[in-house]
Amino acid sequence: MSEARTDFPANSEVGTGSEQVPVRPMEFRRWVEGLPKYFAADGDIAMSHVLAVLSSTFPEGEKFFVRSVAAVRDQITDPRLRADVEGFIGQEEMHGREHQVLNDRLAQHGYPTRGIDSYVRGLYWVRERIQTKKVNLAFTAALEHYTATLAELLLTDEEARKAVGKPGARDILTWHALEESEHKAVAFDVYKAMGGGEFMRIFVMFLTDLLFILETSIMGVVSIAMDRDARRHPVKLARSLARLPKSPFVSWRAVRILAEYHRPGFHPNDRDTRQLIAEWREALFGREGQLTEVLAS
Ligand SMILES: [Fe+2]
Ligand SMILES: [Fe+2]
């Protein structure tokens, strides 16, 4: 895992996106081949399950984001936002594809990634038949604030990166985090460009808070309950569960960043992450950038 990246697909089928939201073809399959079951730091059982659950929701969740934005892209008149939308779609498609690679590896270890994938697919199938395009965009913008928050925590907090543990899983999440920061305002701006109002935006965020916490908690409990290896080590599992509330991902800082979205007049770029993005672009993809060497150090 110490070599520079040389395995980018030569002929990418994806678009190039925009300067702010570039599309980077990635190929992580080889990188996750040796990933152990408990890939979080110190073989932490609960954190491995939490990350596996999150990763399991991404492919279908991100397809929903893409459909929501693509449904209105022809109505966007601002050429810059149109270019960013193309970048957003390309980035999210690539995230879904590469998280599927990680999820396939996790499924080999017995994580219920396929069950969660089917549940999320079914849920959006139903919801998209009930919700308007604007409501779909409001949910996409709300969930994008969740991913942008997780991304900011991961990119600014070394403890958070350490908590993810093994290279492979950490590589995918750090690359994903950079791109979530790059496109954090796109779905929001599309929602606004389609005339989305503040009341619906904030109301949908409250619903998202409820659904996100409820669903990921239930999925996490089910995932751990199905894990025979974890049940064989009850003390280790209990210690791991006790550590979870102290994780950087469930910190007050995380709650504070998430809460900002509920403020009327909020815009994702109110949190200035330009410097953070520049640093991580250079670290991961700069001329000297060597993805795994940076992450493994
Ligand atoms: Fe994503
Ligand atoms: Fe995203």
Side-chain angles (χ1 to χ4, degrees):
M1 296 299 293
S2 63
E3 76 271 34
R5 290 214 55 126
T6 54
D7 52 353
F8 283 30
N11 293 310
S12 168
E13 290 172 11
V14 296
T16 52
S18 63
E19 195 185 327
Q20 168 61 22
V21 190
V23 182
R24 306 178 179 93
M26 304 293 281
E27 176 58 66
F28 283 102
R29 188 165 298 279
R30 196 164 54 80
W31 293 28
V32 298
E33 273 170 3
L35 195 71
K37 178 167 182 174
Y38 300 122
F39 55 92
D42 306 321
D44 193 290
I45 297 171
M47 182 54 82
S48 299
H49 277 276
V50 168
L51 293 169
V53 161
L54 280 176
S55 184
S56 304
T57 65
F58 282 143
E60 284 300 327
E62 299 192 303
K63 279 182 201 166
F64 165 71
F65 299 168
V66 167
R67 287 194 298 271
S68 301
V69 169
V72 299
R73 73 169 141 189
D74 291 344
Q75 297 170 50
I76 298 166
T77 48
D78 177 358
R80 206 179 136 186
L81 184 55
R82 275 186 86 115
D84 286 349
V85 161
E86 297 311 313
F88 174 86
I89 290 171
Q91 285 192 343
E92 293 295 31
E93 283 177 345
M94 193 60 64
H95 299 167
R97 194 185 86 175
E98 293 309 303
H99 271 276
Q100 194 58 55
V101 168
L102 174 61
N103 295 348
D104 289 345
R105 174 64 187 150
L106 296 174
Q108 289 172 353
H109 283 307
Y111 288 98
T113 63
R114 293 190 183 122
I116 294 172
D117 188 73
S118 300
Y119 167 77
V120 177
R121 183 165 55 244
L123 186 76
Y124 283 122
W125 188 89
V126 172
R127 282 173 50 180
E128 285 176 84
R129 268 147 193 82
I130 303 167
Q131 295 171 180
T132 63
K133 287 179 184 176
K134 209 180 276 180
V135 171
N136 288 338
L137 283 170
F139 273 107
T140 300
L143 283 162
E144 281 289 297
H145 186 64
Y146 267 83
T147 53
T149 302
L150 289 171
E152 191 177 333
L153 294 171
L154 197 75
L155 298 180
T156 53
D157 188 345
E158 207 184 326
E159 288 305 309
R161 288 196 298 284
K162 277 188 188 152
V164 178
K166 297 289 178 195
R170 191 174 45 184
D171 301 333
I172 291 179
L173 287 170
T174 311
W175 154 70
H176 193 167
L178 168 65
E179 297 193 349
E180 288 305 319
S181 293
E182 287 173 334
H183 73 227
K184 67 178 180 176
V186 176
F188 186 102
D189 288 342
V190 171
Y191 171 74
K192 287 285 176 181
M194 292 302 109
E198 286 293 88
F199 179 78
M200 184 195 280
R201 180 182 74 74
I202 295 169
F203 180 72
V204 163
M205 185 56 167
F206 278 114
L207 282 179
T208 303
D209 294 333
L210 206 70
L211 290 171
F212 184 87
I213 293 164
L214 200 69
E215 282 177 346
T216 46
S217 303
I218 292 171
M219 286 173 190
V221 169
V222 170
S223 183
I224 291 172
M226 287 170 65
D227 185 351
R228 278 196 213 130
D229 295 328
R231 286 205 299 272
R232 274 191 217 114
H233 302 96
V235 176
K236 200 173 162 194
L237 176 60
R239 282 204 189 119
S240 158
L241 286 168
R243 269 196 302 270
L244 207 54
K246 293 171 202 142
S247 147
F249 297 110
V250 239
S251 60
W252 279 114
R253 181 170 174 236
V255 173
R256 272 198 304 275
I257 301 175
L258 278 174
E260 288 178 12
Y261 193 92
H262 303 77
R263 175 173 55 78
F266 166 84
H267 187 275
N269 289 338
D270 291 348
R271 292 192 68 78
D272 188 353
T273 45
R274 282 174 298 182
Q275 183 63 27
L276 189 66
I277 290 169
E279 284 168 15
W280 278 97
R281 277 182 175 177
E282 181 57 30
L284 299 183
F285 298 101
R287 212 154 43 88
E288 305 298 325
Q290 298 193 346
L291 190 52
T292 41
E293 279 193 356
V294 173
L295 293 166
S297 61

